């Protein structure tokens, strides 16, 4: 007779430290947070966190998931407008054999690596800025991906007619996302005005980058109840400058995104560390960008906070680890919809005995990963740098 897998238990995490320094317990029942600060129920699996930190799973508000297995080209120059960089990337794709081969890898395999990058950094939801490819809703995809969204690439790629059509076709209760003001020149500065003239600045509008926005435009963005997705590492790499976000962050109008590794530094923890080093936002606000504010701006009302009834998307970090200084080796556990996907053996095994686990190493540190994801990665023709799987040990960085 076939052996049935063990049932998934309800479980309570006790002695968990919140971001405000207080301690609590969190009971997870199925895909939801069932109770906070309450005693475990009879029969629950109890995991004593001994003061380790508990946070909502992180939200990466901007990525192009299929572009993360490609290494960042270094053109050794600074740009005035994103269109110049895109033109250089197009030429590079035609001329560099290694880059060409990377682009030729099957799209689902490249999407997978984008998902793995995010999962390993504690991200539980990603806003992908391209079509919602079918694989993104596959049960084996490493993270949740925002499904209900409208998007255009930019005014300079799509043109005003398509941008206007895209905005009007997007339900008003879905986010509508567009790269805008990505540069330093007159054209970048005018994109906000052009979007406004097209009627595309509504409360569901999210501008990605916004480097060229001036003070008056930022005030108007706030008055429109729109939002800005800030990607500082990509901005600094391409333009040597990033958006002036301090005031908008205080108004709750900013989320944080990595962009892909084609222009960005890496994962969301890298982005948080850089944002912290820039010194314009306090640590509490930084955390909001990737939790509460990111969720609200993306209209994800079921996540981004630790509250009863919310999705059990959870990140555990070691005691006293500052999110703004965390690295992916620090990630103790990632739960998505109440199911452990990745983390340290001592936390993942008790709460997910029904999951098949694969021993891996991430940046040299032992971790375990849901075997369905590990198997897909093992068979992909591309890989996640720093991730060692058992049978790929010789090849991994
Ligand atoms: Zn982008």
């Amino acid at each position: 007779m076939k052996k049935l897998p063990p049932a998934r238990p309800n479980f309570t995490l006790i002695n968990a430290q919140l971001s405000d320094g207080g301690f609590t317990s969190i009971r997870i029942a199925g895909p939801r947070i069932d109770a906070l600060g309450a005693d475990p129920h009879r029969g629950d699996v109890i995991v004593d966190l001994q003061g380790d930190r508990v946070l909502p799973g992180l939200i990466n508000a901007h990525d192009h998931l299929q572009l993360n297995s490609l290494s960042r080209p270094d053109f050794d120059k600074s740009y005035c407008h994103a269109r110049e960089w895109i033109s250089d990337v197009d030429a590079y794709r035609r001329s560099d054999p290694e880059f060409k081969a990377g682009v030729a890898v099957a799209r689902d395999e490249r999407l997978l690596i984008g998902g793995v990058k995010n999962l390993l950094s504690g991200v539980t939801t990603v806003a992908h800025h391209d079509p919602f490819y079918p694989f993104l809703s596959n049960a084996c995809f490493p993270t949740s991906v925002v499904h209900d969204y409208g998007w255009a690439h930019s005014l300079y790629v799509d043109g005003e007619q398509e941008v206007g059509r895209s905005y009007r076709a997007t339900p008003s209760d879905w986010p509508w996302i567009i790269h805008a003001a990505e540069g330093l020149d007159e054209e970048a500065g005018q994109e906000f005005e052009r979007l406004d003239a097209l009627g595309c600045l509504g409360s569901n509008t999210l501008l990605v980058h916004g480097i060229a926005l001036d003070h008056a435009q930022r005030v108007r963005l706030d008055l429109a109840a729109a939002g800005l997705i800030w990607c500082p590492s990509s901005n600094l790499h391409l333009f040597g400058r990033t958006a002036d976000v301090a005031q908008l962050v205080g108004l709750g109008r900013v989320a944080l995104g990595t962009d892909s590794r084609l222009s960005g530094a890496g994962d969301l923890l890298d982005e948080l560390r850089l944002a912290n080093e820039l010194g314009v936002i306090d640590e509490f606000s930084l955390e909001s960008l990737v939790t509460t504010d990111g969720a609200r701006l993306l209209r994800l009302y079921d996540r981004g906070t630790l509250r009863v009834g919310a999705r059990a998307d959870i990140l555990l970090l070691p005691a006293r680890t500052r999110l703004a200084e965390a690295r992916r080796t620090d990630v103790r556990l990632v739960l998505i919809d109440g199911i452990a996907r990745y983390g340290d053996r001592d936390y993942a095994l008790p709460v997910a005995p029904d999951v098949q686990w694969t021993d891996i190493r991430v940046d040299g540190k032992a971790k375990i990963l849901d075997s369905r994801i590990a198997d897909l990665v093992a068979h992909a023709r591309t890989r996640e740098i720093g991730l060692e799987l058992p049978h790929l040990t010789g090849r991994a960085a």
Side-chain angles (χ1 to χ4, degrees), residues 46 179 186:
I46 299 170
H179 299 104
E186 173 81 16

Side-chain angles (χ1 to χ4, degrees), residues 62-64 67 85 129-130 153 178-179 182 208-209 231 234 258-260 263:
H62 186 69
D63 204 337
H64 305 261
L67 299 179
W85 176 73
H129 194 96
D130 275 307
H153 182 279
I178 184 169
H179 299 104
E182 188 182 5
V208 185
H209 300 305
C231 305
S234 170
T258 55
D259 224 329
S260 77
S263 63

Side-chain angles (χ1 to χ4, degrees), residues 79-121:
Y79 295 94
C80 290
H81 193 279
R83 68 158 74 241
E84 301 161 358
W85 176 73
I86 288 180
S87 156
D88 276 359
V89 172
D90 279 344
Y92 186 62
R93 181 162 54 183
R94 288 191 296 272
S95 64
D96 185 272
E98 197 182 324
F99 195 76
K100 210 176 190 173
V103 174
V105 170
R107 188 178 61 211
D108 282 359
E109 296 182 359
R110 292 188 286 125
L111 289 167
L112 173 72
I113 298 305
V116 167
K117 171 193 98 167
N118 278 285
L119 175 65
L120 299 188
S121 64

